Each structure stands twice: as C-alpha cells, then as structure tokens.
Amino acid sequence: MPDALDATPYDALLLLSFGGPEGPDDVVPFLENVTRGRGIPKERLKEVGQHYFLFGGVSPINDQNRALLRALREDFAAHGLDLPVYWGNRNWAPYLTDTLREMAADGHRRILVLATSAYASYSGCRQYRENLADALATLQAEGVEAPAVDKLRHYFNHPGFVEPMIDGVLRALAELPEDVRAGAHIAFTTHSIPTAAADTSGPVESHGDGGAYVAQHLDVARLIADAVRERTGVDHPWQLVYQSRSGAPHIPWLEPDICDHLEERHAAGVPAVVMAPIGFVSDHMEVLYDLDTEAKAKAEELGLPVRRSATVGADPRFAAAVRELILERAAVERGREVTPCALGALGPSHNVCPVGCCPARAPRPAAAGADSPYA
C-alpha cells in the first residue's frame, strides 16, 4: 500500500453518533436513555417527545448516518484506503457497546473514532469519550479484549467541512426574493449550552468567556461570511446565535435564541435572514424542528423572509476530509511530520484531548484522551 494511503496503526474507523428513535414506540425509551440518571418522569418525557411525534416518532439522524457511512465507504474504496467503517450510537441502536463488541470480535485492535460533533464542548466531545470509556469497561468486564481507541481531532475548520457550508449559504441567499437578497443578514446557529460549560470548553488555556466552543464557531462564521462576500461582492451582516436550549430556566445558557434574534432583526428593519446551522453535521431533529418548524413559524408571524442553508451531511467533500484526517492522524502515530489541514485563525485542533479539557461537573473516566485509563 502506498504510504499516502497507509492508515496503520489503525485497522478500523468507528462513526460515533447520538442516535435517535425510528418509530413512535421508540421515542420515550430513547429519551430515557438520553436523560438517564436525571430522574425525569415518564410523563414529562412524553411532553418532550412531542417534537418527535410531529414527525411520526422518527428522527432523521439515523438515516443521515447511514448516508454518511455509504459516503465514507465509497470514498475510501475509490481512493484505495482499506479501512472498514462501523457505526455506533450513544443513545439508540446500533449501540456503541454492541458495535465495539462486534469490532473486537472481528479482530480489530486499534480503532479511530469519528464523532458527529465538530466542536469542543463537554456534550460534543468529552461526553462521547466518557461513553467510550463505559463501553470499554463493559467489554473488559465480559472478558473481551477491548481495542485501543483514539478520536479524530475536531474538524470544524477543515476545508471539507467549511466549503459545503459556504455553498449552502450561497444557495440559501439565491433562493431569497431578489429585492431583499442584498440586505439579508446571516444568522449562524448552533446548539446553546450552559454558559459555564461553554466557558470551560476546550483545553485549559482556552477557558474563559465562551471558551473554545464560542471561539471555534465564531471562526467558522467569519470564514463563511468572508467567502460569501468574496463570491458575491456583498458584505452580509452576520451574528452567531443559538437554538435548542433544554435546561432549567435559572441556569444561564448561551444567547440570543434564534427566535428572539429574528424578532430583533425584524424590529431593526432587516429585510431577510438566512439561517445557517454551522453547529450541526446533519439535518437532524434539532434542525428540522427548531429551525424548519419553530423559527420559520416565527418568521412567518413577523412577515420576515427567511431561508435555511443545508448542513454538511454526507457531502463527498466531508467524506474526503475524514479520509484526510485519518491519514494525517495515522502518520502522526507512525512518527511522521505532517502539516494538518485547517482554515481560519485558530489552526488545527489537538489530536489528544489534554487533562482539564471540557471538564465534567462530576469527574468520570473518559477514553481517547491524555487522562484515559485505557491508554
């Protein structure tokens, strides 16, 4: 195998995602998995699950992950990268532990993990690492020789992630009526998280006001806005806003909310808004409901023209980016000098999460980091 396509020491890739229900009977059990340990009554979960019931109890995320699996396998085959790809979820079938057990039975000894979360945060990185540690502990308790696990670096500023989003914003702008297009604002959206979690996101040196979570999103937003200006000749004002808040009202979360932002922009006389969900890899339920349903309803109420740009999903450029990230990390593990590919001002993220990165409120073991008990 040519060195350029050499993934050793890795012998498999695991696509690790959140998971979602695939029918009405799945909704409450799925939400019980998501909220395990919080003591939330089943009746309250049924209320929360109304978002899913509006769409037949089916989240689009699993089908989107199947599409990404196909795109990855097709890209690897087309470029001669002999690396099997598996899929496991944190909260629904196929479950992470079952997938790791299958990978071990298939003889895989060292695997790379691609998480469907591009940015640094507890819920977007360390919680995935904690789930990996839980799964590895289960395998060890069963007497299974668990594989060694590493996680691919954050890819928020990789060209293969950013370029599809630029194209998505350009398409959304083109869909607006011509008389409001030039004055349209861009609302870059991502998942709101508690401000305390944002402030401690990323390595310790990144902690502070918004931490790495906010800084990384702002960097991507600037990249996209600059590219749109260069390609259209129009400098569209923009702002990073948030969606999908789910916490207790007394706990501060990142703001402004997208619906509040639409009201404020309309009051300021803005003629149109493009909503660009840069914080999400695919068009899953939080995009489908919070933007395509709630935010669009708010815009209709205001009489404000809006369009929503597409997420990256299974774009071939993203699949190619994953291949490049795999080969980059494999070369590093073999002691080779590499130049990581990254756009923007922040540069490439770390390969190994350092101690103190995106800490949990209650410390738990986490795999694939400097503090991993499975190193």
Side-chain angles (χ1 to χ4, degrees):
M1 178 183 296
D3 186 61
L5 295 176
D6 187 359
T8 55
Y10 300 107
D11 55 24
L13 176 71
L14 167 62
L15 174 64
L16 176 57
S17 194
F18 193 81
E22 300 202 80
D25 293 342
D26 296 344
V27 173
V28 171
F30 163 73
L31 292 173
E32 287 175 332
N33 288 341
V34 174
T35 61
R36 185 181 293 110
R38 301 182 199 173
I40 299 176
K42 182 169 288 190
E43 290 307 310
R44 173 57 182 153
L45 294 179
K46 289 180 181 178
E47 294 176 18
V48 174
Q50 290 307 311
H51 295 182
Y52 293 95
F53 292 128
L54 286 174
F55 299 92
V58 179
S59 168
I61 192 170
N62 282 346
D63 276 346
Q64 290 161 5
N65 281 323
R66 292 182 184 103
L68 180 55
L69 273 176
R70 288 193 297 271
L72 292 170
R73 289 167 176 161
E74 289 169 3
D75 178 271
F76 293 1
H79 291 85
L81 177 58
D82 184 16
L83 194 70
V85 187
Y86 294 74
W87 169 38
N89 290 322
R90 290 170 48 190
N91 298 299
W92 201 249
Y95 287 103
L96 169 60
T97 302
D98 295 336
T99 301
L100 280 176
R101 188 183 294 111
E102 177 187 0
M103 296 176 82
D106 288 346
H108 297 298
R109 308 307 326 138
R110 189 167 182 187
I111 67 173
L112 266 174
V113 175
L114 167 67
T116 54
S117 177
Y119 300 85
S121 70
Y122 170 74
S123 56
C125 184
R126 187 176 178 89
Q127 193 168 18
Y128 282 89
R129 294 175 49 223
E130 291 175 351
N131 295 146
L132 282 165
D134 291 343
L136 292 170
T138 297
L139 296 190
Q140 287 189 346
E142 295 172 353
V144 175
E145 185 179 357
V149 174
D150 290 330
K151 179 177 174 292
L152 286 172
R153 65 177 173 90
H154 299 300
Y155 46 83
F156 64 93
N157 56 2
H158 193 286
F161 187 68
V162 175
E163 285 289 340
M165 292 191 291
I166 294 170
D167 289 347
V169 171
L170 291 170
R171 285 193 298 269
L173 283 167
E175 292 169 1
L176 284 168
E178 189 173 356
D179 60 331
V180 299
R181 189 179 306 150
H185 284 221
I186 305 173
F188 293 105
T189 77
T190 190
H191 206 302
S192 184
I193 62 174
T195 56
D199 292 347
T200 56
S201 58
V204 172
E205 60 270 20
S206 298
H207 293 179
D209 187 16
Y213 186 74
V214 172
Q216 290 171 358
H217 281 87
L218 286 173
D219 204 38
V220 171
R222 289 189 195 98
L223 283 167
I224 297 172
D226 288 349
V228 169
R229 183 184 63 251
E230 291 167 3
R231 299 181 194 186
T232 65
V234 179
D235 191 5
H236 291 275
W238 61 270
Q239 185 173 338
L240 178 64
V241 302
Y242 302 92
Q243 62 175 90
S244 312
R245 174 183 172 137
S246 59
H250 69 280
I251 298 175
W253 282 52
L254 292 173
E255 296 177 336
D257 176 78
I258 178 61
C259 289
D260 294 338
H261 179 69
L262 292 176
E263 287 188 338
E264 188 274 332
R265 291 291 82 202
H266 178 256
V270 168
V273 173
V274 165
M275 301 182 293
I278 62 172
F280 305 92
V281 172
S282 64
D283 287 6
H284 54 60
M285 183 57 71
E286 285 159 317
V287 176
L288 199 65
Y289 183 80
D290 296 330
L291 294 184
D292 292 353
T293 305
E294 274 197 334
K296 285 189 176 179
K298 172 59 68 174
E300 289 176 7
E301 173 191 318
L302 297 169
L304 177 67
V306 297
R307 296 294 185 273
R308 198 264 292 173
S309 66
T311 52
V312 172
D315 190 289
R317 290 168 291 184
F318 182 45
V322 173
R323 169 171 42 85
E324 292 168 7
L325 288 165
I326 291 167
L327 297 174
E328 171 197 300
R329 179 63 183 275
V332 169
E333 293 299 312
R334 296 196 306 271
R336 298 288 301 275
E337 289 288 334
V338 298
T339 302
C341 189
L343 301 174
L346 297 181
S349 184
H350 47 263
N351 277 325
V352 179
C353 292
V355 175
C357 192
C358 303
R361 283 176 294 177
R364 292 179 54 202
D371 56 354
S372 172
Y374 300 100

